[in-house]
Amino acid sequence: MRAAGNERFAAGDMDGAAECYREAEEALRFVPPNASVGSERSALLLAVWLNLSLVMLRLRRWREVVEYTGQVLAREPGSVKALFRRASALLEGLQEFDEAERDVSAGLTLEPANGDLRRLKRSIAQARASERRRESARYSRMFGGPEPPVVEPP
């Protein structure tokens, strides 16, 4: 099921990939008979949730990205992939800058040279600055002040 999901993902069929990954997730919901099987089951679940989070990111289903990455991070707090994907969803879709920045900082603590996290950190700063400019212009219009020009960052 997971392999079929990977094939569909590679083919660009995000809905099909999500369906396969959800089937894999469902198949992994059992009580393991011993610790060895339990460890293997947990590792597979984490991989499936990470795959689902990536699919949901591509489908722009922000809350589902947060949900799946949250499941991963509850079991593996040091998952840089999960931190990056959740921060991306929090920034791009939910405009939750503080939470996104918190995840990026946690990821950079674990991998200080991670280029994707560094770029995301800059994107958060730019989004915050842009939001402040829009709010300033909005309040200026509401209270009759001169309307400042809205300039987007380069």
Side-chain angles (χ1 to χ4, degrees):
M1 287 174 258
R2 184 171 162 234
N6 292 345
E7 288 174 15
R8 289 191 176 182
F9 182 89
D13 178 8
M14 294 302 124
D15 291 319
E19 182 180 329
C20 290
Y21 294 141
R22 285 190 176 118
E23 288 175 10
E25 177 187 30
E26 197 58 39
L28 290 166
R29 294 198 183 275
F30 64 90
V31 176
N34 58 48
S36 175
V37 172
S39 292
E40 187 176 335
R41 176 188 158 275
S42 292
L44 287 170
L45 264 174
L46 290 174
V48 166
W49 290 332
L50 281 170
N51 290 351
L52 277 164
S53 72
L54 182 57
V55 168
M56 294 303 126
L57 199 58
R58 297 276 172 89
L59 292 172
R60 303 175 69 82
R61 295 183 189 162
W62 312 119
R63 296 213 183 278
E64 290 178 70
V65 174
V66 172
E67 177 187 328
Y68 287 120
T69 54
Q71 289 176 306
V72 171
L73 291 165
R75 289 161 181 78
E76 192 177 293
S79 173
V80 174
K81 278 185 184 180
L83 288 166
F84 175 79
R85 290 177 187 167
R86 185 167 71 180
S88 296
L90 289 167
L91 170 64
E92 293 176 38
L94 303 174
Q95 307 286 299
E96 295 180 13
F97 305 131
D98 292 339
E99 291 85 357
E101 193 166 53
R102 194 170 13 259
D103 282 351
V104 168
S105 293
L108 286 171
T109 298
L110 296 165
E111 291 184 15
N114 186 305
D116 290 331
L117 286 169
R118 288 173 176 260
R119 280 187 289 281
L120 190 55
K121 184 175 182 171
R122 284 191 297 274
S123 294
I124 293 167
Q126 290 171 347
R128 277 184 195 271
S130 180
E131 180 65 21
R132 278 194 293 270
R133 283 191 296 278
R134 281 192 296 275
E135 283 181 8
S136 176
R138 190 174 326 136
Y139 289 131
S140 181
R141 284 191 305 272
M142 282 185 350
F143 297 111
E147 194 167 315
V150 175
V151 179
E152 294 295 323

